[in-house]
């Protein structure tokens, strides 16, 4: 194994006088060679309040020339850059606190510096104290001579930066646990995701060039297949292509909107576009819920160029609340030239989202015929071997329980009580190396939003003597409220003492998930079955009127609920079942 040397990192005041004298400041011959004559990476930071930073990450082969371009040219009123970046360089030029970390390494080449630049941008996007992030290009590189050194060199760089400023450069593990990091458009895409993104952009260009309308591109994949990362990357790439002069005449000036019918996921996307300074050209929200978008775009005359829908299985197929239509997907198609919908029919949780199988097959068939259907096959979330993933899929898809396979990288365990399972999850949560871990449960205990139970402080999940509140109920201090304002449920500290539902955790992952399988899931005659009488999820158990018929789709929706819960854990899944026969079978499945 090649020994990776330490990077050279020097910090300078970011001013024209300091930059002009860099060669006098860097007198060591090795440092001078690696910082002034080799490719380098630089981080410009301007702390504009006690705990907030504006950040620019870049790479260059001539740091002196590039820095003077930023300070002398990019800060000018007529600079050929966007207004927010122009203001950043103006603020930096006038700031007394702006600094630059200049990073060099003896193995740096153009491809490696571009990859590390991209990874630094990705990490900085997941830091709460970074308020705005500039130079937001994505420069993902394919294989090259030193690509295997990317991660070890990056970790050495990060640790050295952290030694200088622990506030601006937190632990890597803490950043990787943030919901923004996980949904960031700066993830290095797999080949499958990269090819899918290119194919979608090509299809969008074709539709816009030929002035087609109502085009539907469908992207499907099971939980953990990387759908959200693909969509986030696609949205960002389209926004960049729409504003760059001369790079893409078809997409230049085009409008993009990102819609999601999920409160927690919407919060994450809103933070991302705020941090990256993205905004619409017409002043309307570019990230919002489908109903709000439809209400703001009632006219069918001026159509949006591209609408991207995350978690499209959450779109409504009947009128509800402020939505007066009958099918949100169709209404979006009527208002757009292209709709890209990311969906997993196995994550439909409510009767309002139900789509008849024949209609879904028709949509898929039409998209497939025109080359507008993409399926992601790779499992991205769970760090488990194929046998472990197969065991979980057998429980969900075939309702069968076999012997739990040996897996040294994934912790799949059945507990004898919810108390012991919670203790294990709490222990994992305390350990920063284990990351965010939380308790979850099937919706088999009463919970009414914005209403208190009669004789208790909270709506609780109860099993014997075990009792724990459902999500989003525990009180927060003023400090917590301020901190939690932009955090997803699982990221909030107090929620270790709550239990998450499918509606809270869908679209997110945990490092370790402790799942209480409630009484609506039973084991009888060698099979898992569903008992809707034991479920408190009326969205799943009440009949649905569809095409003039009353349908009972509770088995499908309760199975989807189980699917969402059992596929949240990245490094481990802990299980306890309330039904005695199911619990006995699960315990038997892990016996030696």
């Amino acid at each position: 194994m090649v020994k990776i040397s330490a990077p050279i990192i020097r910090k300078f005041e970011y001013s024209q006088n300091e930059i002009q004298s860099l060669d006098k400041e860097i007198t060591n011959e090795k440092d001078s060679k690696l910082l002034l004559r080799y490719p380098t990476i630089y981080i410009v930071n301007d702390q504009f309040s006690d705990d907030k930073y504006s950040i620019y990450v870049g790479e260059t082969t001539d740091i002196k020339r590039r820095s003077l371009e930023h300070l002398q040219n990019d800060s000018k009123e007529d600079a050929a850059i966007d207004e927010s970046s122009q203001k950043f360089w103006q603020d930096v030029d006038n700031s007394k606190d702006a600094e630059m970390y200049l990073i060099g390494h003896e193995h740096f080449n153009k491809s490696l510096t571009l990859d590390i630049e991209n990874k630094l941008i990705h990490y900085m996007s997941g830091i709460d104290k970074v308020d705005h992030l500039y130079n937001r290009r994505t420069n993902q590189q394919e294989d090259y001579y030193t690509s295997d050194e990317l991660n070890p060199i990056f970790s050495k760089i990060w640790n050295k930066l952290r030694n200088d400023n622990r506030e601006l450069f937190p632990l890597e593990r803490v950043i990787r646990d943030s919901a923004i990091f996980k949904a960031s458009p700066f993830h290095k895409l797999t080949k499958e995701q990269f090819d899918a993104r290119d194919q979608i952009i090509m299809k969008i260009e074709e539709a816009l060039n030929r002035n087609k309308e109502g085009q539907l591109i469908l992207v499907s994949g099971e939980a953990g297949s990387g759908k959200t990362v693909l969509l986030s990357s696609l949205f960002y790439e389209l926004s960049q292509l729409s504003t760059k002069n001369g790079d893409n005449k078809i997409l230049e000036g085009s409008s993009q909107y990102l819609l999601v019918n999920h409160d927690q996921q919407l919060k994450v996307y809103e933070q991302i576009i705020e941090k990256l300074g993205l905004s619409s050209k017409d002043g309307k929200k570019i990230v919002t819920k489908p109903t709000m978008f439809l209400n703001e775009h009632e006219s069918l005359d001026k159509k949006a160029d591209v609408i991207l829908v995350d978690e499209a299985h959450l779109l409504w197929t009947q009128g509800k609340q402020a939505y007066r239509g009958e099918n949100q997907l169709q209404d979006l198609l009527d208002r757009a030239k292209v709709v890209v919908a990311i969906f997993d029919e196995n994550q439909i949780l409510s009767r309002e989202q139900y789509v008849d199988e024949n209609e879904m097959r028709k949509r898929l068939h039409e998209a497939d015929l025109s080359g507008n259907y993409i399926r992601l096959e790779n499992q991205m979330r769970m760090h488990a071997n194929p046998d472990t993933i197969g065991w979980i899929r057998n429980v969900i898809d075939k309702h069968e329980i076999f012997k739990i396979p040996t897996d040294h990288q994934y912790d799949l365990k059945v507990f004898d009580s919810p108390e012991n399972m919670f203790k294990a999850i709490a222990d994992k949560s305390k350990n920063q190396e284990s990351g965010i871990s939380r308790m979850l449960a099937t919706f088999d205990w009463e919970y009414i939003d914005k209403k208190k139970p009669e004789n208790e402080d909270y709506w609780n999940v109860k099993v014997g003597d075990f009792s724990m509140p459902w999500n989003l109920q525990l009180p927060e201090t003023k400090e917590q409220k301020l901190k939690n304002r932009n955090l997803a449920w699982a990221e909030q500290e107090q929620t270790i003492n709550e239990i998450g539902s499918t509606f809270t955790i869908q679209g997110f992952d945990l490092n370790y998930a402790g799942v209480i399988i409630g009484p609506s899931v039973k084991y009888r005659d060698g099979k898992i079955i569903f008992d809707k009488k034991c479920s408190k999820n009326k969205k799943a158990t009440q009949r649905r009127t569809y095409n003039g018929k009353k349908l009972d789709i509770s088995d499908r929706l309760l199975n989807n609920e189980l699917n969402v819960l059992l596929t949240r854990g990245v490094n481990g899944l802990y299980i306890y079942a309330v039904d005695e026969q199911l619990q006995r079978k699960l315990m038997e499945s892990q016996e030696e």
Side-chain angles (χ1 to χ4, degrees):
M1 181 180 288
V2 178
K3 185 177 179 181
I4 304 296
S5 60
I8 294 171
I9 302 179
R10 296 280 297 273
K11 184 166 71 171
F12 302 95
E13 174 189 313
Y14 204 68
S15 66
Q16 294 193 45
N17 289 337
E18 185 82 353
I19 298 302
Q20 291 281 17
S21 59
L22 273 181
D23 45 1
K24 295 176 184 176
E25 294 275 345
I26 305 172
T27 55
N28 178 281
E29 177 56 30
K30 182 180 178 183
D31 288 9
S32 177
K33 181 176 79 167
L34 297 184
L35 295 177
L36 299 179
R37 300 194 293 278
Y38 263 45
T40 56
I41 299 161
Y42 59 102
I43 302 170
V44 178
N45 71 88
D46 187 18
Q47 187 173 4
F48 61 87
S49 70
D50 288 343
D51 62 347
K52 293 296 181 183
Y53 295 81
S54 289
I55 298 289
Y56 182 97
V57 182
E59 61 80 37
T60 183
T61 55
D62 188 337
I63 187 60
K64 193 170 179 179
R65 175 188 57 79
R66 187 68 182 118
S67 293
L68 290 175
E69 283 177 354
H70 287 319
L71 293 169
Q72 294 175 358
N73 300 333
D74 292 344
S75 61
K76 295 279 175 44
E77 293 294 336
D78 58 350
I81 57 175
D82 63 89
E83 288 183 15
S84 62
S85 296
Q86 183 187 91
K87 185 177 185 308
F88 169 76
W89 290 117
Q90 289 171 350
D91 290 343
V92 165
D93 195 27
N94 295 321
S95 174
K96 295 179 180 178
D97 300 315
E99 298 175 328
M100 173 180 71
Y101 290 94
L102 182 57
I103 305 164
H105 194 279
E106 60 188 14
H107 288 189
F108 272 1
N109 54 53
K110 185 68 172 178
S111 293
L112 185 55
T113 55
L114 285 170
D115 255 358
I116 290 179
E117 174 197 41
N118 190 70
K119 193 162 184 175
L120 278 168
I121 295 171
H122 185 191
Y123 270 60
M124 304 303 279
S125 71
I127 298 171
D128 183 52
K129 295 191 181 296
V130 175
D131 198 62
H132 286 92
L133 187 59
Y134 299 89
N135 185 30
R136 305 167 298 264
R137 62 182 180 178
T138 55
N139 275 319
Q140 172 178 326
Q141 303 296 295
E142 297 302 319
D143 281 344
Y144 47 91
Y145 178 57
T146 54
S147 60
D148 60 330
E149 297 180 5
L150 168 63
N151 290 329
I153 290 178
F154 179 84
S155 287
K156 285 179 179 290
I157 290 171
W158 193 266
N159 288 334
K160 206 162 185 179
L161 291 168
R162 178 167 162 71
N163 285 337
D164 184 76
N165 188 334
R166 289 174 179 265
E167 181 182 67
L168 183 56
F169 304 101
L171 286 168
E172 286 188 66
R173 167 64 74 181
V174 172
I175 297 168
R176 289 197 296 264
D177 274 342
S178 76
I180 290 183
F181 179 88
K182 292 172 182 177
S184 170
F186 300 105
H187 274 278
K188 186 164 184 174
L189 303 182
T190 64
K191 186 176 187 309
E192 181 182 51
Q193 291 171 316
F194 196 84
D195 290 345
R197 191 184 73 175
D198 277 0
Q199 183 180 341
I200 294 168
I201 290 175
M202 183 182 69
K203 285 289 182 180
I204 291 170
E205 289 173 337
E206 178 187 321
L208 298 187
N209 195 36
R210 297 182 181 181
N211 209 24
K212 293 181 180 179
E213 295 183 353
Q215 299 296 296
L216 175 63
I217 300 173
L218 287 170
V219 182
S220 74
E222 293 180 353
S225 59
K227 300 185 297 297
T228 291
V229 166
L230 169 61
L231 188 77
S232 179
S233 175
L234 175 63
F235 178 65
Y236 183 72
E237 187 70 10
L238 289 171
S239 73
Q240 294 298 95
L241 291 172
S242 71
T243 57
K244 288 180 181 175
N245 294 324
D247 276 12
N248 190 311
K249 291 300 182 186
I250 297 173
L251 289 169
E252 188 177 322
S254 60
S255 58
Q256 297 87 33
Y257 297 88
L258 176 54
L259 312 182
V260 61
N261 233 349
H262 189 289
D263 290 336
Q264 299 288 315
Q265 195 69 42
L266 178 64
K267 189 187 294 185
V268 172
Y269 284 134
E270 286 174 337
Q271 289 179 78
I272 289 174
I273 65 160
E274 174 69 21
K275 191 166 287 196
L276 299 182
L278 303 179
S279 59
S280 70
K281 299 166 186 64
D282 59 6
K284 293 177 180 175
K285 287 188 175 182
I286 59 172
V287 171
T288 186
K289 285 189 169 185
T291 297
M292 184 171 287
F293 174 88
L294 292 171
N295 289 341
E296 284 190 345
H297 296 78
E298 288 186 299
S299 171
L300 301 181
D301 296 333
K302 183 168 174 50
K303 297 183 186 293
D305 291 307
V306 184
I307 295 175
L308 308 178
V309 187
D310 196 9
E311 312 270 6
H313 40 269
L314 301 181
L315 289 173
W316 295 334
T317 55
Q318 69 178 52
K320 180 186 175 185
Q321 297 171 356
Y323 174 58
R324 298 182 295 277
E326 295 181 357
N327 186 310
Q328 286 188 327
L329 178 57
Q330 187 55 54
D331 287 347
L332 293 174
L333 285 166
D334 292 340
R335 289 162 176 78
K337 294 175 183 175
V338 184
V339 173
V340 181
I342 308 277
F343 81 102
D344 176 5
E345 60 183 319
N346 293 322
Q347 291 195 61
I348 295 172
L349 298 176
S350 301
R351 64 187 187 280
E352 298 99 339
Q353 298 151 3
Y354 171 75
V355 180
D356 179 71
E357 288 185 12
N358 291 329
E359 181 181 334
M360 178 58 72
R361 285 196 198 99
K362 182 170 178 279
R363 294 268 193 201
L364 288 173
H365 181 65
E366 289 172 351
D368 198 28
L369 282 178
S370 56
N372 285 0
Y373 175 54
I374 296 166
R375 179 160 180 84
L376 299 180
E377 300 288 354
N378 295 336
Q379 167 57 239
M380 303 288 293
R381 175 181 291 138
M382 299 164 66
H383 297 163
N385 68 35
D387 289 341
T388 299
I389 292 172
W391 186 91
I392 295 171
R393 293 306 331 164
N394 268 324
V395 170
I396 297 166
D397 302 331
K398 298 181 180 178
H399 304 148
E400 297 172 340
I401 302 173
F402 298 114
K403 181 176 169 52
I404 293 177
T406 300
D407 190 338
H408 298 296
Q409 60 184 356
Y410 193 84
D411 193 10
L412 175 55
K413 189 182 295 183
V414 182
F415 280 77
D416 59 4
S417 72
E419 289 90 348
N420 288 336
M421 185 165 75
F422 172 59
K423 184 178 183 302
I425 287 292
D427 287 344
K428 290 293 185 186
S429 185
K430 288 173 190 171
N431 182 351
Q432 283 192 321
E433 286 303 307
S434 297
I436 294 176
S437 304
R438 290 293 183 270
M439 294 282 283
L440 309 172
T442 53
F443 208 137
D444 294 346
W445 291 266
E446 196 76 48
Y447 176 71
I448 302 174
D449 191 29
K450 296 181 176 62
K451 185 177 179 181
K452 279 236 177 191
E454 287 185 15
N455 301 315
E456 294 181 288
D457 292 330
Y458 309 112
W459 301 102
N460 292 302
V461 172
K462 296 180 180 180
V463 181
D465 294 331
F466 175 83
S467 180
M468 187 176 286
W470 273 120
N471 44 222
L472 304 172
Q473 293 188 94
L474 289 181
E476 304 163 77
T477 63
K478 284 185 179 179
E479 292 78 12
Q480 283 178 324
K481 278 185 179 178
L482 190 63
K483 184 179 177 182
N484 293 343
R485 177 178 55 185
N486 293 322
L487 295 179
W489 171 79
E491 294 180 283
Q492 300 175 26
E493 287 181 13
Q494 81 281 0
T495 63
I496 185 60
N497 295 308
E498 292 184 333
I499 291 184
S501 72
T502 47
F503 299 107
T504 311
I505 204 64
Q506 187 174 30
F508 296 91
D509 60 41
L510 299 166
N511 282 287
Y512 292 83
V515 180
I516 297 176
I517 302 176
S520 68
V521 187
K522 293 177 164 55
Y523 190 76
R524 300 290 184 270
D525 302 320
K527 284 277 188 180
I528 290 172
I529 63 168
F530 298 95
D531 183 356
K532 71 175 185 179
K533 295 190 298 297
C534 293
S535 172
K536 301 299 181 184
N537 183 3
K538 294 178 182 177
K539 292 175 180 289
T541 58
Q542 289 183 346
R543 289 174 178 266
R544 161 74 201 267
T545 301
Y546 195 87
N547 290 335
K549 297 179 181 178
K550 285 279 188 182
L551 302 177
D552 183 349
I553 51 175
S554 57
D555 272 13
R556 176 180 169 185
L557 298 181
L558 293 176
N559 192 75
N560 288 354
E561 184 176 1
L562 189 66
N563 175 48
V564 168
L565 297 177
L566 296 186
T567 55
R568 295 305 102 187
V570 173
N571 296 317
L573 169 64
Y574 298 162
I575 302 173
Y576 173 82
V578 173
D579 178 68
E580 289 184 12
Q581 292 186 46
L582 177 57
Q583 175 67 6
R584 190 182 311 124
K585 182 64 179 177
L586 287 168
M587 293 293 288
E588 289 172 2
S589 73
Q590 73 174 1
E591 290 176 358
E592 295 294 332

